[in-house]
Amino acid sequence: MQQRELPKKTKIYMIILVMLGIIFFFLMEQGKAAKATKILYQLGYKNVTDVKVFSKVEILNEDTNVKGLKYALKFKDLDQNKQCRGFIARDYKNNIYQDVECK
């Protein structure tokens, strides 16, 4: 059975789409890390590096019925020279919550 080969234009389009997908993925990861770093700065972690966001979830505070975002993350605090991991959350009224453990 004979197979028809893909045209060159189709191959080029597929390569471009894959490259755009990879670039988009890295930009989204950097955006999440930048937003989490901004929240950490407001919490008092002024000098942090290696911020890695594992998940970003929309939450609802049932007491006040206010939505927000919760980040599960890991980072290094250079002031204390410790590895930290945990959760930070910010609701849409700019209240900030944290559950961070440093070792």
Side-chain angles (χ1 to χ4, degrees):
M1 193 188 299
Q2 198 174 18
Q3 288 184 342
R4 184 173 158 241
E5 199 171 311
L6 289 174
K8 283 187 178 181
K9 280 186 178 180
T10 304
K11 290 179 184 177
I12 292 172
Y13 291 147
M14 289 189 332
I15 290 171
I16 290 172
L17 282 174
V18 168
M19 289 172 48
L20 287 174
I22 291 170
I23 291 170
F24 182 73
F25 173 77
F26 283 114
L27 288 176
M28 292 297 292
E29 290 296 316
Q30 289 289 7
K32 285 193 287 188
K35 287 179 184 177
T37 304
K38 188 176 176 182
I39 295 171
L40 286 170
Y41 187 80
Q42 291 175 343
L43 286 170
Y45 297 99
K46 305 290 185 196
N47 195 6
V48 296
T49 59
D50 301 332
V51 177
K52 171 115 171 110
V53 178
F54 298 115
S55 68
K56 176 179 149 183
V57 180
E58 189 170 310
I59 58 170
L60 175 67
N61 187 344
E62 294 178 5
D63 297 335
T64 60
N65 203 23
V66 176
K67 291 183 180 181
L69 295 172
K70 179 171 118 177
Y71 298 88
L73 52 86
K74 177 174 81 169
F75 63 94
K76 183 171 184 172
D77 186 4
L78 295 178
D79 291 337
Q80 300 175 3
N81 198 20
K82 293 183 177 182
Q83 279 289 106
C84 303
R85 76 182 310 149
F87 299 99
I88 57 173
R90 172 193 274 166
D91 63 18
Y92 293 131
K93 291 188 176 183
N94 284 331
N95 297 324
I96 300 173
Y97 312 100
Q98 70 173 336
D99 182 19
V100 177
E101 179 182 309
C102 297
K103 293 181 181 181

